[in-house]
Amino acid sequence: MLRVNDPFRETGAAPPSASGRPSVVALQAREKYLIGALVVLTLAALFAPALPAAAWPIPHYVDTRIWLGLPNAGDVLSNLAFLAMGVWGSERLRGRNDAPVGASWFFVGLILTCLGSGFYHLDPDVPQRLVADRLGMAVAFAGFLGIAAGERISVRAGEAVLVLMMVAGLLAAWVARENLTPWVVVQFGGMALAVGLALTRPRPGALGVPLGGVIAFYVLAKLFELGDATIFEATGHIVSGHTLKHLSAALAAWPVIRALRPAVPQSARS
């Protein structure tokens, strides 16, 4: 019988067999539910009605001001927040062996999002530039879902979700040039999956990343995006909603970074 503090039970890893080779561990109930959710998302991405990209209106951002020769300066420069959080998070990972699955890819994705989104907002009237924007987002999103699954279900579940969502997200970002359906499924279906995982108790031995905080900043970013022009007018043309969207989306990394803070020595607590 497994003991309560069995490390294989806590991590979801397969314990070695008597012959020295790892044995296959039966799927946990949570892992079965996760597989079911992933199957539903896959079927939706493959067989849901296509949303032609050509029929989707090209977004027009309200703040087009030029600063020091830089067009759309507010929306371009606000992407530096992704770079800052990505570098900060990557530094927090150094020398750690307890980081959640997907954390490194999450922070790499933020850095790529800074580059891709900045490139896109330099000339957002060129729809082909959206691919660069979405590719970085896909990497960051896959990293976050890997963190969520690893924290709430098992390490192997986090690894599987990271790989699957990385492949699906990158493919969906590329296909979105013609068909937006897979990208919509990845973005909104993936976030629904993250909400479900956030409502699940952390597994034993998890670092304790507050998934709800990440989701809250993401929702706030979406609200800022919808209120782009309204916020621009309400602030007297100081800042647009889309600029605030970038800042809020970057702050979604803060709960993960905070969970990775250095442990306080016991002597310092007394």
Side-chain angles (χ1 to χ4, degrees), residues 191-241:
M191 187 50 61
L193 177 61
V195 171
L197 291 170
L199 296 175
T200 305
R201 287 188 307 170
R203 64 171 178 82
L207 186 63
V209 176
L211 303 180
V214 179
I215 295 171
F217 278 114
Y218 178 84
V219 172
L220 183 61
K222 282 297 180 183
L223 294 176
F224 282 140
E225 181 179 35
L226 293 174
D228 186 27
T230 302
I231 293 173
F232 193 57
E233 293 297 328
T235 60
H237 296 185
I238 294 176
V239 65
S240 70

Side-chain angles (χ1 to χ4, degrees), residues 6 9 23 40 58 61 64 67 72 131 133 174-175 178 189-190 212 215 222 253 260:
D6 191 330
R9 183 178 179 182
S23 61
V40 170
I58 297 176
Y61 306 103
T64 59
W67 184 66
N72 311 310
V131 176
D133 186 17
W174 186 257
V175 172
E178 298 178 357
I215 295 171
K222 282 297 180 183
L260 291 167

